Amino acid sequence: MSRLGRKEEETLIEMASATDDNMVILINFKPSESAGEDSNGPLYESGSNTESELPGNSEGLSSTETTLLIPDHQVIDKRHQSKDSVFFRDGVRRIDFVLSFVDDPNKDEEKKVDRRREFERNLQKSGLELETEDKKESENGKTYYVKIHAPWEVLITYAEVLNIKVPIKENDIPCTIENPIDCMLSPFRLPEKVMHPDPDYFTAPFRKDRQELYLIHDESTFFSPSVRNRIVFYILTRCPYGTEEGKKKFGIKRLLSNGTYTAAYPLHDCQYWKKSNDPHCDNERYTLYMEWARFLRFFKEQPLDLIRKYYGEKIGIYFAWLGFYTEMLFLAAVVGLFCFLYGWFTMDANMSSKEICDPAIGGEIIMCPLCDMDCNYWKLNTTCRPSEYSHLFDNVATLFFAIFMGIWVTLFLEFWKRRQARLKYEWDLVDFEEEQQQLQLRPEYEAKCTQKKKNPVTQEMEPYLPLTSKAVRFCISGTTVLFWISLIIASMIAVILYRLSVYAAFASIMKNTQTLQPISGLLTPQLATSVTASCLNFVIIMILNFLYERIAIWITDMEIPRTHLEYENRLTMKMFLFQFVNYYSSCFYVAFFKGKFVGYPGKYTYMFNHWRNEECDPAGCLIELTTQLTIVMAGKQIWGNIQEAIVPWIWNWWGRQRARCNPENLYSRWEQDHDLQHFGPLGLFYEYLEMVIQFGFITLFVASFPLAPLLALMNNILEIRVDSWKLTTQFRRPVASKAHSIGVWQEILNGMAVLSVVTNAFIVAFTSDMIPRLVYYYAYSPNADSPMSGYINNSLSVFRVENFSVEARPKDQGDIVFCRYRDYRYPPDHELKYSHTMQFWHILAAKMAFIIIMEHVVFIVKFFVAWMIPDVPADVTARIKREKFITQKILHEYELNKLKEKLCQGQTYQGMEKEFIATEGKMELSQAM
């Protein structure tokens, strides 16, 4: 290659020793003349004593910095440049990152100017090239823009530091045989150029001393824009800007937080609604918008390779997971819909609701009051409509669907592992190790941890947090989390007290209000209380979420996690634990506590010795759990879409309106992106959290609501397009980052999958009325021709009203002698009056047996399915081995050819021939293996 002669002149990466404050000194090197010509600016050669300090090299590799200074800012007419240009004024050097700041005439402005001057000087020392747009040329006349370009020498230096893989040969492995049914899926396919924008290559980690090995056709396009902005951001987060209060200060994050800069972001490549006129622009953003981010494309597959190329692997893996989750939801939604339809079509054949609605049965049964003193006796047939609708969800299909979802969860997680393994191979993440990005030391950790100790592995001095300080921080953090969880429990108790307090009011209003009489059969006091309490609970959930998000970030920062991965995992666990309790506590209460500890008339159980515990409807509590689940789940999804789509759109619309106040000014690419919303480092975190909470709704409580997967499916079809639309049109381009999996969320999903089996078994056993009906059907029914007739009367016990205590006795006693209540107790004329009957113990034993049997059956099937499905597909395993073999062969041949060149040029030294023989032997051994 033409790069052979040039390569010899480049300086290799030199290892630098850590200083006493654990800052790695970046070694300057002198670029060649050709390098200087490529950079479009004269070179400033510094002496060996010119040093720039950056935070410790946390990736296990040393860094190299160029001393590459650009000339003074040139004054060029801005009108000569396209407003969509992503290049410097010379039209050659690509803008890889943009920093913005405004004049702030206050007491700190001089300090900010000094910080910016020192920071930009150190960026130039590190090899980056800068070009500043004066505020007079900006749209608002206030903002300065510092454009940053990473020249070739910087890119290849940090490509080696970050272990970035680059192409070495086109992939010659034949594609898998097409599926015969692919032709049927053609309406859902995208064009091949969109799905696979780049050819498939064999890749290898970049090495500066092996540049002729790689397929470098054009230096300006060899590294994609996402890789370039990742490299520049790596430098920005470690570049120092001075010493304040005796401590070294560094990193763009601190400069953003203290207001020195207002924004830092890479550029989108064009406008999203039309292609750029610049022939050098890739127009990938436009393609993503047209083929992916519009809702009318909801039935199309996602261009995952293009998403990964434009936004990086971390965002790509999220959309791959979300798309796969949505595909799997389709099966669960179809089965759940059939279960719901079964309940709908068999509603008229439900003997329990028939008896409740029958005037001769339900109309003659007088029920005991549902609250003390203020509530009156009521007839059973007033709950006719709720009992009919409860059959929609409480039927035999509920049991089948609960078992099905336990198996579906396993299939989803196992097939996702296979999909993830395939993506790891296709996206060159097989050998990707977290320490390359996620395990690197956080700059905040290095800045705050002033004490150092020797790393037993690297034998280098590293910052560390003393055990005593760590223990204190964890105690404060744990106490804070417990306090907020206690706050959730307290709010849930408040909602329960609301339920207990307003029931009598609703009963009185509905009884005395004539306008509500037409709907009194549907809108019962129980249902009105449940709906209003669910809405109130949802409002409290949203308020607590808003407050706790900021608390969680604050206490995680206070803990000073060592690595980025540790930071994300700690924040994830805090947020998930809080939201798990926040969203699900009310559902757990209705499912497992409401109506379970009521007592019986004459001896009711009271909360705080004042409020009588709630009772379930005669048809069971399942309909209330369904109501609670529907309101919270649907409300969360609607509110989430408003937050994600409408709020950013409003802010951006307002920004565009202000920009139009100065139409004579040129609205450049960096100004357009500056006015967009900031995605933030935790942007994906909230997306995952939203989906995982939804996953909990459709797995933990799905036995009570078979339509939950259908609601989730419709939401996720919208969610994919909303997320893609906002990311492509409403947010600045995020900094690309790598990830080979969904991280800690995988373990959370596994835990919820196991818990879902237990919760659904308990819901079917204790919340549903299925087990008592089955026990009656097989053991206590007196009518062989109609086994379920008489069930309602059998499930209601008798109470003599004169046995009411003075505090519980209704004000309007009337001439009623007996009332009925839902329980299995002996009548008042029995010698064991009001104690549990034998049928109660039979039902309890049946419930426990059902839970044990269902859990064991589902767990055995789950483990068998997980064992049967390998985590990595066989063809992917073969391709990985083939690529490793080819890559090793290419590298070995390269080493052998280099040795041959040295031998031919007469560059012999003692042992050269032995090295040549050893290299040949290594090739033969590799081929044999």
Side-chain angles (χ1 to χ4, degrees):
M1 288 188 180
S2 60
R3 306 187 54 80
L4 283 171
R6 177 177 168 184
K7 179 188 68 65
E8 300 296 334
E9 298 177 355
E10 294 179 345
T11 305
L12 301 178
I13 297 180
E14 301 180 17
M15 301 299 294
S17 59
T19 59
D20 55 353
D21 59 353
N22 200 33
M23 295 292 205
V24 174
I25 302 176
L26 301 179
I27 308 300
N28 298 309
F29 69 85
K30 179 180 178 180
S32 61
E33 293 182 2
S34 59
E37 294 170 357
D38 289 344
S39 64
N40 294 301
L43 299 176
Y44 173 79
E45 180 182 346
S46 64
S48 59
N49 59 345
T50 305
E51 298 174 347
S52 161
E53 295 181 298
L54 291 188
N57 185 5
S58 53
E59 294 201 7
L61 298 172
S62 59
S63 302
T64 304
E65 286 294 335
T66 60
T67 305
L68 190 59
L69 301 181
I70 64 171
D72 294 335
H73 302 313
Q74 305 170 16
V75 179
I76 298 178
D77 190 349
K78 192 177 179 183
R79 289 172 296 179
H80 292 168
Q81 188 179 32
S82 168
K83 66 179 181 179
D84 279 333
S85 174
V86 291
F87 295 91
F88 275 18
R89 293 168 183 168
D90 56 18
V92 176
R93 291 174 290 174
R94 185 182 187 93
I95 301 172
D96 298 312
F97 229 88
V98 174
L99 308 178
S100 66
F101 64 91
V102 295
D103 286 333
D104 187 13
N106 57 38
K107 60 181 180 179
D108 293 331
E109 179 58 24
E110 185 176 349
K111 184 182 294 185
K112 292 180 180 179
V113 171
D114 292 339
R115 290 171 181 164
R116 285 194 292 264
R117 184 184 298 114
E118 181 66 16
F119 185 69
E120 292 172 18
R121 185 178 69 85
N122 287 329
L123 288 178
Q124 290 175 327
K125 283 186 177 182
S126 69
L128 299 178
E129 300 178 4
L130 311 182
E131 185 176 75
T132 302
E133 293 288 334
D134 191 81
K135 66 179 181 180
K136 297 178 182 178
E137 298 176 340
S138 66
E139 184 275 329
N140 59 13
K142 300 177 182 179
T143 307
Y144 293 87
Y145 295 93
V146 181
K147 298 173 287 184
I148 301 175
H149 168 75
W152 175 257
E153 287 73 18
V154 173
L155 293 174
I156 61 177
T157 296
Y158 284 94
E160 183 170 1
V161 169
L162 296 175
N163 204 33
I164 293 173
K165 289 186 174 183
V166 294
I168 58 174
K169 181 185 176 181
E170 287 195 21
N171 193 333
D172 60 355
I173 301 177
C175 298
T176 56
I177 300 175
E178 293 187 1
N179 195 319
I181 66 171
D182 279 351
C183 58
M184 300 174 57
L185 301 177
S186 57
F188 307 101
R189 302 293 189 192
L190 289 174
E192 183 66 18
K193 182 61 179 176
V194 177
M195 289 301 298
H196 305 289
D198 292 326
D200 194 12
Y201 294 102
F202 291 130
T203 60
F206 189 84
R207 288 277 300 276
K208 287 177 64 176
D209 57 345
R210 295 178 177 174
Q211 292 185 49
E212 63 273 21
L213 176 65
Y214 309 111
L215 300 180
I216 305 177
H217 304 299
D218 185 353
E219 290 182 359
S220 62
T221 59
F222 180 67
F223 294 105
S224 66
S226 61
V227 173
R228 297 174 69 102
N229 73 55
R230 178 185 164 209
I231 290 174
V232 173
F233 185 71
Y234 179 85
I235 299 173
L236 289 173
T237 55
R238 283 155 176 77
C239 186
Y241 58 85
T243 303
E244 298 178 6
E245 299 176 356
K247 295 182 179 180
K248 295 289 182 66
K249 301 293 183 178
F250 55 85
I252 188 62
K253 294 180 182 178
R254 282 179 171 271
L255 292 174
L256 290 172
S257 63
N258 61 31
T260 303
Y261 289 100
T262 56
Y265 53 94
L267 292 179
H268 284 293
D269 58 7
C270 64
Q271 295 173 337
Y272 66 86
W273 64 87
K274 67 178 181 178
K275 290 186 176 181
S276 172
N277 296 325
D278 193 330
H280 300 291
C281 183
D282 297 325
N283 290 297
E284 291 173 348
R285 186 190 188 194
Y286 170 79
T287 304
L288 285 171
Y289 174 72
M290 297 301 295
E291 302 291 348
W292 178 52
R294 295 190 301 166
F295 182 75
L296 293 178
R297 314 291 284 180
F298 74 92
F299 61 93
K300 294 286 189 179
E301 60 184 335
Q302 297 187 85
L304 295 178
D305 287 351
L306 185 58
I307 298 170
R308 171 244 183 171
K309 180 183 178 184
Y310 192 76
Y311 291 114
E313 287 79 2
K314 192 169 186 179
I315 290 179
I317 205 77
Y318 163 73
F319 280 103
W321 176 81
L322 180 57
F324 183 79
Y325 172 44
T326 304
E327 292 172 9
M328 290 293 292
L329 272 177
F330 181 78
L331 176 61
V334 170
V335 176
L337 179 61
F338 277 117
C339 292
F340 176 79
L341 292 177
Y342 171 83
W344 181 276
F345 290 131
T346 60
M347 192 163 57
D348 293 337
N350 181 28
M351 183 60 68
S352 298
S353 60
K354 280 185 176 181
E355 291 187 347
I356 292 176
C357 297
D358 190 345
I361 301 176
E364 297 297 327
I365 296 177
I366 305 299
M367 301 295 294
C368 297
L370 294 175
C371 65
D372 294 341
M373 299 183 69
D374 295 328
C375 295
N376 292 323
Y377 301 99
W378 53 286
K379 292 186 177 181
L380 181 61
N381 64 350
T382 58
T383 61
C384 174
R385 289 291 181 85
S387 67
E388 289 179 338
Y389 289 127
S390 68
H391 180 72
L392 292 173
F393 311 105
D394 191 1
N395 53 67
V396 178
T398 300
L399 173 60
F400 165 77
F401 193 58
I403 297 175
F404 167 81
M405 286 301 295
I407 300 172
W408 175 88
V409 168
T410 303
L411 291 174
F412 164 64
L413 295 175
E414 293 301 318
F415 280 121
W416 166 245
K417 291 178 184 177
R418 292 170 62 84
R419 177 68 172 134
Q420 190 169 256
R422 191 175 296 278
L423 287 175
K424 285 174 66 175
Y425 165 73
E426 294 175 354
W427 291 356
D428 287 328
L429 299 171
V430 173
D431 297 324
F432 172 71
E433 298 295 337
E434 292 286 356
E435 62 264 14
Q436 295 176 16
Q437 177 174 320
Q438 295 293 320
L439 293 184
Q440 63 189 9
L441 291 180
R442 296 174 63 240
E444 295 84 354
Y445 179 84
E446 296 176 296
K448 295 179 181 178
C449 298
T450 56
Q451 301 186 39
K452 300 181 184 297
K453 69 176 181 180
K454 182 178 289 187
N455 188 313
V457 178
T458 62
Q459 295 297 308
E460 294 181 356
M461 298 299 294
E462 290 185 352
Y464 84 103
L465 190 64
L467 183 60
T468 54
S469 177
K470 186 182 296 186
V472 171
R473 294 173 186 273
F474 272 112
C475 288
I476 297 175
S477 174
T479 303
T480 306
V481 172
L482 289 176
F483 168 77
W484 279 88
I485 291 178
S486 301
L487 196 62
I488 296 174
I489 297 174
S491 66
M492 184 188 69
I493 293 175
V495 173
I496 294 173
L497 296 181
Y498 165 84
R499 288 171 175 267
L500 303 179
S501 303
V502 304
Y503 174 81
F506 277 119
S508 176
I509 292 173
M510 292 180 180
K511 179 181 179 181
N512 300 322
T513 304
Q514 296 298 322
T515 56
L516 296 177
Q517 291 301 317
I519 61 172
S520 60
L522 178 63
L523 187 64
T524 62
Q526 295 97 318
L527 183 60
T529 303
S530 179
V531 170
T532 56
S534 298
C535 294
L536 177 62
N537 184 69
F538 175 73
V539 173
I540 294 175
I541 286 173
M542 292 296 103
I543 294 174
L544 290 177
N545 269 349
F546 176 79
L547 298 175
Y548 183 76
E549 283 180 7
R550 287 143 185 82
I551 298 296
I553 294 174
W554 174 76
I555 59 179
T556 305
D557 289 336
M558 182 201 64
E559 292 175 6
I560 318 180
R562 187 173 184 272
T563 65
H564 292 278
L565 180 62
E566 190 176 339
Y567 182 90
E568 289 186 6
N569 288 348
R570 290 188 188 180
L571 181 61
T572 298
M573 294 309 298
K574 289 183 181 65
M575 287 295 297
F576 174 74
L577 178 63
F578 177 84
Q579 294 216 5
F580 183 93
V581 179
N582 199 18
Y583 279 108
Y584 303 146
S585 58
S586 58
C587 294
F588 273 102
Y589 164 74
V590 175
F592 306 125
F593 295 96
K594 182 179 179 182
K596 306 302 185 295
F597 310 99
V598 177
Y600 63 92
K603 197 175 181 181
Y604 285 118
T605 303
Y606 290 83
M607 179 180 290
F608 304 126
N609 295 321
H610 184 73
W611 289 279
R612 198 175 106 188
N613 286 349
E614 289 184 280
E615 297 182 42
C616 286
D617 189 91
C621 273
L622 199 69
I623 188 66
E624 289 195 42
L625 177 58
T626 304
T627 303
Q628 177 78 24
L629 185 66
T630 305
I631 291 176
V632 175
M633 182 179 175
K636 180 184 183 302
Q637 293 179 168
I638 294 172
W639 179 251
N641 287 326
I642 292 175
Q643 278 187 311
E644 292 181 14
I646 297 179
V647 173
W649 180 84
I650 291 175
W651 281 109
N652 291 335
W653 175 83
W654 177 247
R656 288 193 298 271
Q657 297 305 311
R658 290 186 300 171
R660 291 170 184 165
C661 296
N662 299 300
E664 69 277 8
N665 290 338
L666 188 61
Y667 201 37
S668 61
R669 172 82 268 134
W670 48 88
E671 291 174 304
Q672 294 176 50
D673 284 9
H674 179 267
D675 289 342
L676 297 178
Q677 299 299 302
H678 177 49
F679 189 64
L682 297 177
L684 275 187
F685 167 80
Y686 292 113
E687 301 296 341
Y688 275 118
L689 184 61
E690 177 186 5
M691 289 295 102
V692 170
I693 293 297
Q694 181 204 85
F695 181 81
F697 280 125
I698 69 166
T699 54
L700 296 177
F701 308 102
V702 74
S704 68
F705 190 33
L707 292 181
L710 181 62
L711 289 181
L713 174 65
M714 293 188 295
N715 174 79
N716 287 8
I717 291 174
L718 178 64
E719 181 77 20
I720 291 175
R721 303 304 156 177
V722 167
D723 286 349
S724 58
W725 174 80
K726 72 177 184 181
L727 201 62
T728 306
T729 67
Q730 304 301 309
F731 283 85
R732 299 171 189 156
R733 186 174 184 172
V735 178
S737 58
K738 297 178 78 69
H740 69 309
S741 68
I742 61 176
V744 70
W745 298 109
Q746 182 78 38
E747 301 303 320
I748 291 176
L749 292 175
N750 290 334
M752 295 181 72
V754 174
L755 181 61
S756 67
V757 177
V758 179
T759 56
N760 283 298
F762 272 85
I763 286 173
V764 173
F766 287 98
T767 310
S768 166
D769 207 33
M770 184 180 301
I771 303 299
R773 289 200 299 262
L774 290 176
V775 171
Y776 178 81
Y777 183 94
Y778 287 106
Y780 289 90
S781 175
N783 190 345
D785 296 331
S786 179
M788 288 306 297
S789 61
Y791 168 73
I792 291 298
N793 186 63
N794 175 265
S795 65
L796 299 175
S797 298
V798 179
F799 180 76
R800 192 185 300 272
V801 298
E802 65 182 22
N803 293 333
F804 269 124
S805 62
V806 177
E807 296 80 7
R809 183 172 299 161
K811 295 178 180 177
D812 185 9
Q813 186 73 23
D815 57 355
I816 296 173
V817 179
F818 296 100
C819 65
R820 309 293 293 275
Y821 61 99
R822 181 182 171 84
D823 207 342
Y824 295 91
R825 294 179 183 272
Y826 288 111
D829 55 356
H830 195 277
E831 60 180 351
L832 298 176
K833 66 176 184 179
Y834 303 139
S835 61
H836 285 119
T837 65
M838 188 57 66
Q839 186 176 353
F840 170 83
W841 299 110
H842 287 169
I843 292 173
L844 181 61
K847 289 180 177 180
M848 301 307 296
F850 170 80
I851 291 172
I852 294 172
I853 293 173
M854 177 179 170
E855 286 182 358
H856 280 71
V857 169
V858 175
F859 278 132
I860 289 173
V861 174
K862 282 168 62 70
F863 291 138
F864 179 74
V865 170
W867 175 75
M868 286 287 293
I869 302 175
D871 291 347
V872 182
D875 64 310
V876 172
T877 302
R879 285 170 170 264
I880 292 173
K881 292 180 179 179
R882 170 67 178 168
E883 181 164 348
K884 285 186 176 180
F885 167 74
I886 295 296
T887 303
Q888 287 182 353
K889 183 178 178 181
I890 293 173
L891 294 176
H892 293 162
E893 288 177 350
Y894 169 78
E895 293 175 0
L896 190 61
N897 291 334
K898 293 293 293 181
L899 288 173
K900 286 180 179 179
E901 289 179 10
K902 291 181 180 179
L903 287 172
C904 293
Q905 294 173 2
Q907 298 180 8
T908 60
Y909 60 86
Q910 186 176 7
M912 173 72 76
E913 294 181 0
K914 293 183 179 180
E915 183 180 352
F916 180 79
I917 295 172
T919 303
E920 281 188 322
K922 185 169 65 172
M923 286 185 59
E924 294 176 358
L925 180 61
S926 176
Q927 292 175 1
M929 294 177 62

